[in-house]
Amino acid sequence: MQVNTPLKRPEILAPAGTLEKLKTAIHYGADAVYIGGNAYGLRSRAGNFTYEQMQEGVAFAKAHNAKVYVAANMVTHEGNQEGAGDFFRQLRDIGISAVIVSDPALIEICATEAPGLPIHLSTQASATNAETLEFWKEEGLERIVLAREVSMAEVAKIRKQTDVEIEAFIHGAMCISYSGRCTLSNHMSMRDANRGGCSQSCRWKYELYDLPFGTERRSFTKNGAVAEEFSMSAVDMSMIEHIPDLIQNGVDSFKIEGRMKSIHYVSTVANVYKAAVDSYMADPEHYVCKQEWIDELWKVAQRELATGFYYQVPSDEEQLFGERRKIPQYKFIGEVLAYDEETKIATIRQRNLFEVGDEIEFYGPNFHHFEQTVVAMKNEEGEMIDRAPNPMMILTMEVNEPVNVGDMIRKKK
């Protein structure tokens, strides 16, 4: 189902667990990034930002016409909200573009104690209908992040009934619980998923047994297959093949999941969705989803990919159980620090082991890609080396095509 509204270019919103990831995401095409502070967020292990790092991130974003949002989407228990007023005022004064909040107490504190700081409703609040969006709009919120359980038909209906900004997840990990409202981690590892400590217990492997009363212990099988490990884990989401539906149904912001993932992931996914959105907006009538975009996303996929709840209720085929498709494994091995046009020599910072004879791939913003064989390398002292084994070591090598600072290198495992 689609609505007939003027096409608006959606914002590409990328995750940024660290300052390095923030700069990478923006360099590779993100219009905005979302980060976490040292309090009130749901990713306690995501390399959250100090106020000083936020200031640097905001300055970098503004220099590149991008925005920075801060996720403060924890569920507060008694006393957790202490200090929130000062926290939100600090964010406002630093120049954060908006905060992403789910708890009504934190929303109220932000609205009253940090006026002028825009508030977006987190997906943790499970907004699934237009009436809910209108309620939060009347409370002063500018944008609603939809629950990941909303279908595309529902997105279309919601857009018809409200003009509040809509943000929707388009790529990344899915939660097996209802938009993250899970207590499995609390029970399994005493880490509160809704206060920043999720241990992702659903991703663990379990043995599942069929144990009717009074019978022997029997391993569970699927379709007559042999017993196997079981998880409660969903496959990841990818909407790269459905960009027209998202734009035509009025989604204002395309959200990519993954604040704890690598700069390899962030750069690749931001690069792909920017290319797709730019292509569609340039010529909607003749838009075609390119196979190279799909192939590129598989290079950073950790699990199989599906469309979540957008077109159907996920079946067992969208769960990590049973025979799984083999995922291409690529390793991020380096980044370009400098390039000399006359000598065609690139200076590279190593990120993972590679050696002479390896087939590697360079990639950069705007889909500049090429492959080559590593023929020779020199270390920082100018000595010839066969391997680059030391983390973050600096080396030089000749490259077949021009590269730019910030371009990255990977190889197939």
Side-chain angles (χ1 to χ4, degrees):
M1 182 180 296
Q2 299 171 350
V3 293
N4 295 317
T5 58
L7 292 182
K8 173 185 175 184
R9 187 189 190 281
E11 168 189 87
I12 298 171
L13 175 57
T18 64
L19 191 57
E20 180 186 36
K21 294 174 188 177
L22 178 151
K23 294 178 179 179
T24 298
I26 293 172
H27 182 60
Y28 277 79
D31 302 297
V33 295
Y34 61 101
I35 68 174
N38 285 327
Y40 313 109
L42 288 183
R43 290 293 182 268
S44 61
R45 294 173 291 143
N48 294 311
F49 285 59
T50 63
Y51 292 131
E52 291 75 18
Q53 290 171 327
M54 287 184 189
Q55 288 176 326
E56 183 176 346
V58 167
F60 182 88
K62 287 184 176 178
H64 294 82
N65 298 312
K67 298 179 179 180
V68 179
Y69 308 136
V70 171
N73 51 350
M74 74 179 295
V75 175
T76 58
H77 287 230
E78 194 61 41
N80 289 156
Q81 70 275 21
E82 293 179 6
D86 181 64
F87 175 75
F88 289 129
R89 284 191 295 273
Q90 291 267 23
L91 301 191
R92 179 196 61 190
D93 297 343
I94 286 170
I96 295 298
S97 294
V99 288
I100 307 167
V101 190
S102 65
D103 193 296
L106 291 180
I107 290 172
E108 181 69 14
I109 291 170
C110 183
T112 57
E113 299 194 30
L117 177 60
I119 304 172
H120 297 171
L121 187 73
S122 169
T123 191
Q124 302 298 123
S126 301
T128 58
N129 58 74
E131 290 80 3
T132 296
L133 271 66
E134 281 293 292
F135 170 84
W136 287 112
K137 176 186 173 182
E138 291 172 5
E139 293 296 308
L141 275 64
E142 295 186 358
R143 178 185 293 181
I144 309 301
V145 186
L146 294 179
R148 280 174 278 192
E149 295 75 28
V150 173
S151 70
M152 189 64 70
E154 290 173 324
V155 173
K157 291 178 181 178
I158 290 170
R159 179 75 292 164
K160 285 181 178 179
Q161 298 177 63
T162 179
D163 62 358
V164 69
E165 288 188 6
I166 292 175
E167 183 177 306
F169 281 93
I170 53 95
H171 196 93
M174 295 287 286
C175 184
I176 202 66
S177 190
Y178 203 99
S179 284
R181 294 188 172 198
C182 180
T183 58
L184 189 63
S185 175
N186 303 55
H187 292 290
M188 300 293 286
S189 59
M190 298 183 69
R191 286 166 47 179
D192 193 336
N194 295 295
R195 286 193 282 176
C198 182
S199 60
Q200 297 192 37
S201 305
C202 62
R203 302 286 189 195
W204 299 355
K205 295 295 185 180
Y206 299 89
E207 291 182 351
L208 183 64
Y209 296 94
D210 178 11
L211 291 173
F213 181 75
T215 63
E216 294 184 7
R217 188 176 194 174
R218 295 181 295 158
S219 296
F220 180 80
T221 62
K222 180 181 179 183
N223 298 328
V226 296
E228 61 183 313
E229 291 181 319
F230 178 79
S231 79
M232 292 167 278
S233 184
V235 303
D236 288 356
M237 176 193 289
S238 175
M239 289 293 288
I240 188 60
E241 297 183 64
H242 304 280
I243 296 299
D245 279 358
L246 292 162
I247 296 177
Q248 291 168 13
N249 285 315
V251 176
D252 297 284
S253 180
F254 286 8
K255 189 166 194 171
I256 300 164
E257 181 276 337
R259 274 193 287 149
M260 296 176 66
K261 294 179 181 175
S262 69
I263 61 172
H264 180 210
Y265 169 89
V266 170
S267 60
T268 300
V269 179
N271 209 15
V272 167
Y273 281 98
K274 179 182 188 302
V277 168
D278 286 350
S279 178
Y280 180 81
M281 296 305 297
D283 189 0
E285 186 177 349
H286 299 100
Y287 172 81
V288 175
C289 179
K290 297 180 181 179
Q291 185 62 42
E292 65 180 356
W293 300 336
I294 299 170
D295 294 342
E296 190 78 357
L297 291 177
W298 278 107
K299 292 178 182 179
V300 292
Q302 296 178 331
R303 290 173 279 269
E304 294 181 56
L305 301 174
T307 57
F309 288 82
Y310 279 115
Y311 299 103
Q312 70 281 314
V313 175
S315 69
D316 61 335
E317 297 301 320
E318 285 78 44
Q319 313 303 320
L320 294 181
F321 177 61
E323 186 177 352
R324 291 188 283 277
R325 174 176 173 178
K326 184 174 177 60
I327 306 296
Q329 295 293 316
Y330 283 78
K331 181 167 65 174
F332 170 46
I333 60 170
E335 59 189 315
V336 176
L337 300 181
Y339 173 65
D340 188 308
E341 292 184 5
E342 291 186 6
T343 63
K344 298 182 179 180
I345 297 296
T347 302
I348 295 164
R349 177 187 289 126
Q350 185 260 35
R351 290 300 188 109
N352 275 296
L353 169 69
F354 67 101
E355 54 195 355
V356 170
D358 282 347
E359 296 293 329
I360 63 175
E361 178 187 13
F362 285 83
Y363 73 95
N366 301 312
F367 256 73
H368 174 62
H369 289 59
F370 69 93
E371 297 179 355
Q372 73 171 66
T373 302
V374 180
V375 176
M377 300 184 290
K378 293 182 180 181
N379 63 19
E380 208 165 0
E381 287 72 41
E383 302 166 332
M384 297 296 296
I385 56 175
D386 294 327
R387 304 171 75 244
N390 302 322
M392 305 298 282
M393 70 181 290
I394 307 300
L395 56 99
T396 58
M397 62 180 290
E398 186 174 342
V399 292
N400 294 347
E401 297 185 23
V403 292
N404 297 301
V405 174
D407 285 0
M408 299 193 185
I409 318 164
R410 60 186 165 213
K411 72 171 186 175
K412 196 168 184 177
K413 291 184 181 179

